[in-house]
Amino acid sequence: MKIADSLWPDDERNSEKICSNLRGLVYRFRRTFQLISDEDLIVSTQAGYRLNPNLKIITDFAQFDKLGKEAC
């Protein structure tokens, strides 16, 4: 899994366990997000996981920066 390789490039001892744990975390994150949206936040692709491109996600920082620029 590319995520595990990116986070722990030198740890080959527990790669299967790390991948299993990451899949579990993504699963729980998806389930938790379902409480606030009918759309999936994380979607699976052939290349791995990605944020759903159909959602218009804006972070608090991006919103703050946008409003700050509009105020000037």
Side-chain angles (χ1 to χ4, degrees):
M1 179 181 261
K2 289 183 180 183
I3 297 172
D5 292 340
S6 295
L7 293 174
W8 298 283
D10 300 327
D11 192 353
E12 296 178 13
R13 300 168 297 162
N14 297 319
S15 62
E16 191 58 40
K17 183 174 180 158
I18 291 170
C19 289
S20 176
N21 288 343
L22 286 171
R23 279 191 288 276
L25 288 170
V26 170
Y27 171 79
R28 288 197 310 262
F29 190 77
R30 282 175 157 171
R31 299 258 317 179
T32 301
F33 190 76
Q34 285 177 341
L35 297 173
I36 60 173
S37 175
D38 293 334
E39 295 269 346
D40 289 334
L41 173 64
I42 300 172
V43 293
S44 298
T45 68
Q46 289 180 338
Y49 300 113
R50 68 179 281 182
L51 292 175
N52 187 340
N54 297 326
L55 295 177
K56 305 298 180 222
I57 300 170
I58 186 165
T59 64
D60 290 344
F61 178 78
Q63 183 69 8
F64 180 81
D65 193 42
K66 178 182 175 263
L67 293 173
K69 288 177 182 177
E70 289 175 2
C72 292

